[in-house]
Amino acid sequence: MLDRTHRLRRAGTTAAVAIAAVTLASCGDSTGPNNKQNALRPAGKYARQILNLTEPFFWIAVVIGLAVVSATFYVALRFREKPGEERAPKQVHGNTALEISWTVIPAVILAVMAVPTVATIFSLAKKPTGHVVNVTVTARQWWWQFHYDDPGNGVETANELHIPVGVPVSLTLQGPPACSPTPCYANGVIHSFWVPALNGKKDVVPGRKQFLKLEADKPGTYLGQCAEYCGLSHANMRMRVIAESQADYDAWVKSQQVATRSEAALERGVDAQQWGCATCHSFKPGTAGAVAPNLSHLADRTAFAGDIYLVNFDNLWRWVYDAPSRKPMGNLEQHMPNFSAAGMTQAEAQKIACFLLTNTATNPSPPPECAGK
Ligand code: CUA
């Protein structure tokens, strides 16, 4: 008996420690409520619509859950077999009044909850009109390609979506274009676009065009993440939305439309064509690369490689030198190769990184390591 009590107590302590560990683990700076990826802290009207629906439903569920558990405990204790009692419980079959009520009450509750749910679904599915920013999002393995569609715009970027505050952004989500020979299709798997502070998630399905809209209340950076398992670097398929004032946004668009250097100069400068960067990347503003991000304004971005590395000298040259060791890419058909295995030296990788940092920036401020490179 004592043994059993001991064992129970130990199991209880272990469970308490485990629960505390899991709970506290979510309290860190990067993973806590301020992780910029919190659907419970909406930063725009679409995300708020979802929370406004979720919150009352959560409390309805809490009330119903508590009522059911309390009733279960009450019945179990009230009608339990008492010591010395040797009677069978009353034998019943069916109770029409009870059965009707426990069918009708939940049906009514669900019918009432369906009204705002359906209204929200329709409202979120409605395409915005008026002043709207239109962007086509192509989900790649494993990064996000953003192409601004509005006439005369022609901005092409990767992983980093700039939007004006208070303006609806209409996204067309798609998989990579079909190509031949067919192995290209190996790149087309299902992803899911999710920036929790700005709206719910939407699957990106190869061969289909999906619609999702975003809007941010105030300037800030809102982080996102691919939310559908899509292979080895699913966790490394992140993105950031940078919301800024209309004036700042307009200035950003203008900066991205202008070439910092000519396409030819960039292609020549980056590797003297030796490593074939331009086979996959584009160095011309507004133009998509064959399979890889447009690099004409790489140095203007905060992060790269699926938004997992900050754009700086160290990260960039190591990436150029041996990308697969920095982001698992397995046997993907097309990915940034390990150039070190093909004979690239560290000095060459550093030279390429410095060239990109200096020549693809709207306002270049090359790092000290690049002096003389
Ligand atoms: Cu893309 Cu997970």
Side-chain angles (χ1 to χ4, degrees):
M1 188 66 196
L2 194 72
D3 239 23
R4 193 156 159 257
T5 320
H6 263 259
R7 247 179 313 171
L8 276 176
R9 197 169 293 163
R10 194 174 310 147
T13 313
T14 311
V17 169
I19 290 170
V22 169
T23 312
L24 291 174
S26 63
C27 294
D29 255 2
S30 57
T31 51
N34 293 322
N35 65 1
K36 299 180 178 179
Q37 244 179 311
N38 190 341
L40 300 177
R41 293 217 175 153
K45 64 180 181 186
Y46 307 130
R48 203 171 308 113
Q49 264 181 283
I50 296 175
L51 186 64
N52 287 346
L53 187 69
T54 315
E55 257 179 356
F57 285 9
F58 172 76
W59 291 113
I60 292 172
V62 166
V63 169
I64 292 174
L66 284 178
V68 170
V69 172
S70 318
T72 307
F73 271 104
Y74 172 77
V75 170
L77 293 173
R78 171 77 180 72
F79 299 105
R80 75 186 189 281
E81 189 186 308
K82 290 164 191 102
E85 205 174 39
E86 270 188 38
R87 60 180 175 89
K90 187 176 149 198
Q91 302 297 302
V92 292
H93 181 260
N95 183 322
T96 312
L98 264 182
E99 281 164 24
I100 288 177
S101 60
W102 72 46
T103 304
V104 168
I105 294 173
V108 169
I109 294 174
L110 289 177
V112 169
M113 287 166 74
V115 175
T117 305
V118 172
T120 305
I121 289 171
F122 275 88
S123 165
L124 289 175
K126 213 162 107 192
K127 297 207 168 154
T129 50
H131 181 25
V132 178
V133 172
N134 295 290
V135 179
T136 294
V137 180
T138 308
R140 302 284 189 161
Q141 242 165 338
W142 289 273
W143 58 282
W144 299 96
Q145 180 184 350
F146 296 123
H147 184 83
Y148 289 67
D149 295 319
D150 295 314
N153 190 320
V155 168
E156 170 88 26
T157 182
N159 308 310
E160 206 160 294
L161 183 68
H162 285 246
I163 64 171
V165 157
V167 175
V169 180
S170 174
L171 303 177
T172 304
L173 308 170
Q174 63 178 23
C179 54
S180 60
T182 39
C184 296
Y185 265 122
N187 283 352
V189 302
I190 299 177
H191 303 268
S192 184
F193 185 94
W194 195 26
V195 183
L198 301 182
N199 200 344
K201 63 178 85 153
K202 178 67 67 98
D203 274 8
V204 188
V205 184
R208 292 192 58 159
K209 285 191 192 305
Q210 307 270 72
F211 162 75
L212 185 73
K213 53 187 177 181
L214 304 176
E215 191 179 316
D217 296 331
K218 46 183 199 289
T221 298
Y222 307 99
L223 302 181
Q225 162 76 53
C226 176
E228 177 72 47
Y229 182 69
C230 54
L232 210 52
S233 267
H234 159 66
N236 298 320
M237 189 172 171
R238 306 180 208 162
M239 71 211 104
R240 66 182 58 215
V241 176
I242 297 169
E244 48 206 355
S245 69
Q246 184 74 49
D248 287 351
Y249 169 77
D250 290 342
W252 176 81
V253 167
K254 200 163 269 176
S255 75
Q256 301 303 295
Q257 291 167 329
V258 183
T260 53
R261 300 280 183 282
S262 78
E263 184 184 1
L266 285 178
E267 288 180 10
R268 218 172 28 244
V270 79
D271 68 348
Q273 304 300 313
Q274 192 185 341
W275 304 103
C277 302
T279 313
C280 300
H281 293 282
S282 165
F283 291 87
K284 188 178 170 194
T287 314
V291 288
N294 178 305
L295 297 184
S296 62
H297 286 273
L298 171 70
D300 287 346
R301 295 176 202 150
T302 312
F304 70 100
D307 206 54
I308 62 172
Y309 290 118
L310 292 176
V311 174
N312 61 39
F313 171 72
D314 217 42
N315 284 338
L316 202 54
W317 83 256
R318 288 175 198 280
W319 176 259
V320 171
Y321 186 63
D322 179 8
S325 74
R326 310 276 286 157
K327 179 176 177 179
M329 292 185 276
N331 54 4
L332 196 63
E333 288 288 338
Q334 299 141 328
H335 65 72
M336 181 83 174
N338 175 354
F339 283 113
S340 77
M344 184 188 279
T345 63
Q346 295 196 355
E348 280 177 289
Q350 292 173 353
K351 201 174 157 195
I352 290 172
C354 284
F355 180 85
L356 287 169
L357 289 172
T358 312
N359 292 281
T360 65
T362 301
N363 301 303
S365 59
E369 294 95 326
C370 290
K373 279 206 174 88

